Amino acid sequence: MNILLWHVHGSWTTSFVHGKHRYLVPVTPDRGPDGLGRARTYPWPDSAVEVTPPELATAEVDLVLLQRPEEEALATEWLGRRPGRDVPAIYVEHNTPKDGAVPNSRHPMADRDDLLVAHVTAFNQLYWDTGGTRTTVVDHGIVPPTVEYTGELDRLAVVINEPIRRRRVTGTDLLPRFAEIAPLDVFGMKVAGLADQLGLPADRLTSHDDLPQARMHAELARRRAYLHLCRWTSLGLSLIEAMTIGMPVVVLAATEAVMAVPPGAGALATRVDDLLTATGQLMVDPAAARRAGAIARRAARDRYGLDRFLTDWDRLLEEEVCGSR
């Protein structure tokens, strides 16, 4: 199939474009949010092809994969066809609702009979009110990192995009408490200046801004444990990647994380004090950290494998495209 999708979420899209289809990724001269084009820090196969808006007017498109409400109007303008009416469409919902009305949050694609909403977690499906719109869940899958856990550095790894702006959503405000136990290495987009924002000395928090994925994985693997303190995000793919590497994880028990982290993989709790205690134990007991990481790795590879993810998506794509004919 020829599938039109925007480059919105780098890790998720990296997994998706590893399928057997041809992926049309809009690109604009400014490479802004509506035309970012191919990823620059993630490895994508050649089947992910950049297309300009004028080229889309005559492009053969079998399905439109929407991920933001505004993409429906963009697709209509650029294709000259309406998603869901003139060409099959699936809306992928990556996020938990954040409109302040939880648990009564109304989805922007609610009560639609012309498309399907595919949630990336069962938690999202539960918390979004989509009315009469059909929904399904396709759990995450990741391209497995090529590195293995060593944990030789007595440091904690964290991956957060925009931790300063998102602050409480991503648990940024909790980081100083963990920095008292071990130095933090924070990876992600727009992490520069985080230590200053939190009032931490440079030797307690080091920022690593927007590293290429493979390099980031190699750095994660050297840290003793992975820290995931998100209060209200869907399910961070970096958490699954860290588990797949074989890292023990210290995780705030919120949203879908409670389903992703098995007993014995590190720590999972809503009490921050319990997470702090577990972190201290991992830092002084490398052997225990390695055992916990092995449990995390098995769970992540069993549930979030790339083959399962792509198989689930192929089945769904076929149903939607064939069912519209």
Side-chain angles (χ1 to χ4, degrees), residues 6 8 33-35 66-72 74 91-92 109:
W6 277 260
V8 178
D34 294 334
L66 304 169
Q67 299 170 80
R68 299 168 298 170
E70 60 267 28
E71 290 174 1
E72 184 175 16
L74 284 175
Y91 188 100
V92 180
M109 298 297 160

Side-chain angles (χ1 to χ4, degrees), residues 12 17 42 47 67 96 119 136 142 173 182 187 216-217 223 275 284 319:
W12 184 89
V17 300
Y42 295 87
S47 54
Q67 299 170 80
T96 50
H119 294 281
T136 190
I142 64 166
D173 58 301
F187 302 83
M216 183 185 75
H217 287 164
R223 274 67 186 173
L275 297 180
V284 300
E319 290 172 356

Side-chain angles (χ1 to χ4, degrees), residues 57-79:
T58 57
E60 181 181 344
V61 175
D62 297 299
L63 182 136
V64 178
L65 200 75
L66 304 169
Q67 299 170 80
R68 299 168 298 170
E70 60 267 28
E71 290 174 1
E72 184 175 16
L74 284 175
T76 300
E77 177 185 353
W78 293 353
L79 290 173

Side-chain angles (χ1 to χ4, degrees), residues 235-311:
L235 177 62
L237 284 175
S238 56
L239 169 62
I240 300 172
E241 291 165 358
M243 292 171 63
T244 305
I245 289 170
M247 299 186 73
V249 293
V250 176
V251 181
L252 196 65
T255 66
E256 189 74 8
V258 299
M259 302 302 297
V261 180
L268 178 71
T270 53
R271 292 183 183 273
V272 177
D273 285 346
D274 292 347
L275 297 180
L276 291 166
T277 298
T279 300
Q281 293 169 346
L282 291 171
M283 299 310 294
V284 300
D285 193 343
R290 185 172 294 278
R291 290 193 297 270
I295 294 172
R297 181 173 57 242
R298 286 194 296 270
R301 291 183 175 180
D302 287 346
R303 180 166 184 179
Y304 300 106
L306 184 64
D307 288 344
R308 191 275 310 155
F309 173 79
L310 294 175
T311 297

Side-chain angles (χ1 to χ4, degrees), residues 105-136:
S105 303
R106 190 77 165 163
H107 196 276
M109 298 297 160
D111 290 326
R112 295 281 296 265
D113 62 1
D114 56 346
L115 53 75
L116 171 77
V117 173
H119 294 281
V120 298
T121 69
F123 184 94
N124 287 3
Q125 185 187 47
L126 179 66
Y127 272 76
W128 276 111
D129 175 11
T130 53
T133 305
R134 293 179 300 127
T135 68
T136 190

Side-chain angles (χ1 to χ4, degrees), residues 96-105 123 127 232:
T96 50
K98 297 182 178 68
D99 61 3
V102 178
N104 301 311
S105 303
F123 184 94
Y127 272 76
W232 193 248

